[in-house]
Amino acid sequence: MDLMDIWTLVAVYILIFLSLANLFIKPILFAKRMAGKVLKKLLRVRVPENQKKGVERLYTPIWVIIGLWAFFKLKDASLLGAVFGLLAFRSGANITRLLVYSSHDGKILKEMAEGRVLGILEKAVRISLILEAAFPFAMLLAYKTLSAVTISHGSVGKFLLELWVAGAIFGLVFGYLIAKDNRGLLLEDSVEALTFMIALKGKQKAEKAKERIKFRAP
């Protein structure tokens, strides 16, 4: 087995690991969102809601359509390339969109209270960014092998790289459009952001109570 085959094999294992990790993490993230919603209702915590939820719903259909198009375009030339093609656009888009969302939420939370707000957001997005970064790393490992396979207008490797970059640009633009003039939290159901809001509410109540005590004091 030559070096190129070894790198391709490593890339395949990373891709499998990434797919399985996402498969297991999805239910956990869903449970966290549900827990966040329940806590918001029980504790009556008002979290600034995303004002563009309707537009945001377009995100998933867009990457699914483009991913399926890439899969069927590449499946006859390379099954490995087709699998990468299914996820390439989504991977690029997720990374840049998540960065825009976390930056936006950091600014919103900073306006509510001073302190280590960004640390809370970093914890909320760190695992997602690590998982998303594993995909382009795997794709680059398999790039030479995929570049040896040609399609109508070039190589599979070049096509996948262009697809990932296109996804990154799309995620950046889409994230900007959702974040622009949006006074809500885009990661509003994250337990980390909710914990911050609960702590902020408690702090505000404590400060009001302290002010009342000072006012009543002789």
Side-chain angles (χ1 to χ4, degrees):
M1 183 180 292
D2 60 26
L3 187 60
M4 186 181 295
D5 291 334
I6 293 173
W7 287 126
T8 303
L9 191 61
V10 172
V12 171
Y13 280 123
I14 292 175
L15 187 59
I16 293 172
F17 169 77
L18 182 62
S19 301
L20 290 175
N22 275 293
L23 187 65
F24 283 111
I25 285 173
K26 289 293 181 184
I28 296 172
L29 294 178
F30 177 76
K32 283 180 68 178
R33 284 196 298 271
M34 291 300 102
K37 288 179 179 180
V38 170
L39 282 172
K40 277 193 290 186
K41 288 184 178 180
L42 289 177
L43 301 176
R44 296 180 181 179
V45 179
R46 295 187 64 184
V47 177
E49 292 191 1
N50 180 359
Q51 298 171 331
K52 300 180 182 179
K53 284 184 177 179
V55 179
E56 193 180 33
R57 291 191 183 99
L58 296 173
Y59 179 79
T60 298
I62 289 172
W63 80 253
V64 168
I65 290 170
I66 293 175
L68 289 174
W69 167 74
F71 178 85
F72 287 108
K73 183 179 179 66
L74 300 175
K75 70 180 181 66
D76 292 332
S78 167
L79 185 58
L80 175 62
V83 174
F84 272 108
L86 179 65
L87 302 173
F89 185 87
R90 173 187 175 276
S91 172
N94 274 0
I95 287 178
T96 51
R97 186 182 67 133
L98 190 58
L99 289 172
V100 173
Y101 277 17
S102 61
S103 175
H104 168 272
D105 283 6
K107 291 176 183 177
I108 295 294
L109 292 175
K110 269 188 172 180
E111 291 175 6
M112 295 179 182
E114 296 179 359
R116 296 171 293 180
V117 178
L118 289 181
I120 298 170
L121 280 176
E122 285 172 6
K123 291 177 182 178
V125 302
R126 189 178 296 132
I127 293 176
S128 295
L129 283 175
I130 290 172
L131 286 173
E132 293 298 344
F135 179 87
F137 178 68
M139 193 170 70
L140 289 173
L141 289 178
Y143 182 79
K144 286 188 177 181
T145 300
L146 293 171
S147 293
V149 182
T150 58
I151 50 179
S152 57
H153 61 282
S155 70
V156 172
K158 182 174 178 290
F159 175 75
L160 290 174
L161 190 58
E162 291 171 346
L163 195 62
W164 190 91
V165 172
I169 295 171
F170 167 75
L172 191 65
V173 174
F174 188 89
Y176 172 77
L177 291 175
I178 296 296
K180 189 176 186 298
D181 300 324
N182 195 333
R183 300 303 301 166
L185 290 177
L186 305 183
L187 303 172
E188 64 185 53
D189 289 328
S190 72
V191 173
E192 292 83 1
L194 184 61
T195 301
F196 170 77
M197 295 300 297
I198 292 170
L200 177 60
K201 185 178 180 181
K203 182 181 177 183
Q204 290 171 343
K205 284 185 177 180
E207 288 176 350
K208 286 181 181 178
K210 192 183 292 183
E211 288 296 323
R212 284 197 296 268
I213 292 171
K214 285 182 179 179
F215 180 75
R216 293 174 183 174

